[in-house]
Amino acid sequence: MRRLVLALLVLLLASPAASDYGSSSSSASVRGPGMAIPAKIYCAVGRECYVSNTQLCLSSGSLRNTAPFGFTFESNYGSFHYKGWRYTPSTEADTPLIIRALDGNLNSLESVTTTVDVVSKTAGSGTKNLLIIGDSLINSTGVLVSTLYNQFTTDAGGQLTFLGTSGTGNYQHEGYDGWTHEDFATSNGGSNPFWDGTEVNFQWYMSEEGFVGDIDYCVIQLGINDMWSDIGNADVTDAQLSAIGANLNVILDAMLDADVGYPGCQIIISLEPIGAGDLTAIYTMYTASQGKHWWRYERNMMKWWRYVILNYDLDAFDARVSVCAANLGVDRDIMYGFDDTPDKRISSRSLAYDQQWWHTDYLHPYSFGYHAMSDNLYGHLRHLMVGN
């Protein structure tokens, strides 16, 4: 019998109603983790689809030993191992994936059903334009953008020109450190590249920058700074979620508008991973006063995931807008940077063999994490390119 990982502690999180995300059920009196997963996960033939236990509920390395949940995966394909579920398909097919959260007695607390939709890695033809809008996970190292671009150039089929005024070489984008949805929905002090002086105007942007053609595909990957910086040390309210959603709608409406945007554009809202599982990374990057609200930030991020899935998945906003769970493949334990220098011990009094591998960056994955995010985005984009 394969070992179940008792994944990660849920911190006072009320389990949402079944309508809050995908196809979900919960029948136990004990709260489940409130898993937030879109109705479909897209992957391409020959590219791995990975669902990490660490993205299924709230977590912290310091709390992992008291975690009440284990997870099991039910599918006719792929393999279930102690860290999650992985599948590298060889043919195009749709397959259901059922994820169950179990308590210590292996009672099912909650289940979520999603469909893994496998598409050809050579879907599409010709060359189309892709615009990526995001924050530092797009901009800081450029690994996610470069990995995604190189996956397309490695495979045949439809290709993409990456639009943008940031990045290097072919790896262009509009990602800016610290930016939120509001920053892209307003003038942002004149720094918003899409602001024509009056409104968000993507046709003006294309003309201003000398780009040729339409914006055929757009990826919007934001949320971390809305929750970490703007909400901070407080529980995000429904009104605040709606306000962030309203700013996202400004961007979406502008992109799909015939006068200032491109009605034929297919838009992906990409879910960002929460952060590393080791609390040390928070205090490495931030002061104690900044890091003290980490548990509210993590809880708020999962609420944002649910808000996005409820309001934008399954054509809820528009048939041209879909949700990609780019976060699901990012293992919070092993896909963030580590440091094993001598001062990283349990305490200053501990011996050398107590030295720990501690995360050094809480919010930004290591290259492996970006690779996993790219796999999910790649499959989703290939899906949108089918027949185009």
Side-chain angles (χ1 to χ4, degrees):
M1 178 178 179
R2 295 180 179 180
R3 180 163 61 95
L4 297 178
V5 170
L6 292 182
L8 308 163
L9 180 66
V10 169
L11 303 175
L12 306 177
L13 175 64
S15 182
S19 61
D20 279 7
Y21 46 87
S23 174
S24 168
S25 64
S26 181
S27 59
S29 58
V30 179
R31 291 171 176 170
M35 293 179 285
I37 300 175
K40 284 194 173 185
I41 300 172
Y42 297 100
C43 64
V45 171
R47 301 288 184 184
E48 182 178 86
C49 178
Y50 179 53
V51 179
S52 170
N53 289 341
T54 66
Q55 292 291 339
L56 297 178
C57 69
L58 297 178
S59 71
S60 165
S62 66
L63 301 171
R64 188 169 295 113
N65 290 335
T66 59
F69 301 122
F71 294 96
T72 186
F73 301 80
E74 301 172 19
S75 174
N76 293 328
Y77 300 91
S79 61
F80 164 48
H81 62 97
Y82 82 100
K83 293 289 286 182
W85 180 82
R86 61 189 300 179
Y87 175 40
T88 303
S90 57
T91 58
E92 298 175 54
D94 290 356
T95 181
L97 173 64
I98 302 174
I99 307 173
R100 298 186 189 277
L102 309 175
D103 66 14
N105 293 317
L106 303 186
N107 297 308
S108 180
L109 299 176
E110 178 188 330
S111 67
V112 172
T113 300
T114 186
T115 298
V116 179
D117 189 330
V118 182
V119 299
S120 169
K121 66 178 180 179
T122 60
S125 61
T127 301
K128 303 292 179 66
N129 288 329
L130 168 67
L131 174 64
I132 301 177
I133 299 171
D135 50 31
S136 58
L137 267 67
I138 297 296
N139 183 56
S140 62
T141 65
V143 173
L144 176 54
V145 176
S146 62
T147 301
L148 185 61
Y149 180 89
N150 291 335
Q151 285 179 313
F152 274 97
T153 58
T154 297
D155 297 332
Q159 298 296 304
L160 294 174
T161 296
F162 284 41
L163 304 173
T165 59
S166 189
T168 58
N170 294 319
Y171 311 139
Q172 296 297 309
H173 57 80
E174 296 294 352
Y176 299 95
D177 296 1
W179 278 40
T180 66
H181 290 85
E182 183 179 10
D183 294 326
F184 284 105
T186 63
S187 68
N188 195 19
S191 60
N192 184 352
F194 310 124
W195 193 260
D196 67 0
T198 303
E199 61 183 339
V200 175
N201 187 330
F202 289 102
Q203 291 185 18
W204 172 86
Y205 163 78
M206 292 288 283
S207 175
E208 188 78 3
E209 300 302 334
F211 298 135
V212 177
D214 296 349
I215 300 175
D216 302 294
Y217 305 102
C218 177
V219 172
I220 301 173
Q221 185 174 286
L222 295 163
I224 285 179
N225 297 301
D226 296 85
M227 299 303 154
W228 180 264
S229 302
D230 285 9
I231 304 300
N233 190 20
D235 290 321
V236 65
T237 65
D238 290 342
Q240 289 172 318
L241 288 172
S242 296
I244 297 169
N247 284 319
L248 174 56
N249 292 348
V250 169
I251 304 169
L252 298 175
D253 288 337
M255 181 61 78
L256 298 175
D257 185 85
D259 294 326
V260 297
Y262 299 91
C265 182
Q266 295 286 327
I267 304 173
I268 297 173
I269 302 175
S270 176
L271 300 180
E272 295 188 298
I274 291 177
D278 181 359
L279 286 181
T280 309
I282 299 176
Y283 296 104
T284 300
M285 291 184 64
Y286 305 101
T287 65
S289 61
Q290 289 173 316
K292 67 182 180 182
H293 66 270
W294 66 270
W295 57 278
R296 283 199 171 101
Y297 158 74
E298 295 198 0
R299 188 164 63 183
N300 291 343
M301 275 295 288
M302 185 165 275
K303 290 179 181 178
W304 172 245
W305 291 351
R306 294 198 200 102
Y307 180 91
V308 169
I309 292 170
L310 177 63
N311 289 278
Y312 302 97
D313 199 27
L314 293 175
D315 303 338
F317 180 86
D318 189 282
R320 294 163 292 182
V321 178
S322 54
V323 177
C324 175
N327 59 312
L328 281 183
V330 183
D331 189 299
R332 300 183 66 184
D333 296 328
I334 62 176
M335 291 188 178
Y336 287 79
F338 285 96
D339 184 2
D340 66 340
T341 52
D343 63 318
K344 298 299 186 294
R345 299 177 183 176
I346 294 174
S347 90
S348 61
R349 301 295 188 184
S350 63
L351 300 175
Y353 54 75
D354 287 326
Q355 185 171 313
Q356 303 293 300
W357 287 82
W358 285 359
H359 288 118
T360 56
D361 194 321
Y362 176 59
L363 296 177
H364 306 92
Y366 190 57
S367 57
F368 306 125
Y370 289 122
H371 296 165
M373 294 176 70
S374 182
D375 284 339
N376 285 353
L377 281 169
Y378 179 80
H380 203 119
L381 283 163
R382 281 295 185 191
H383 161 72
L384 296 179
M385 297 173 78
V386 171
N388 294 324

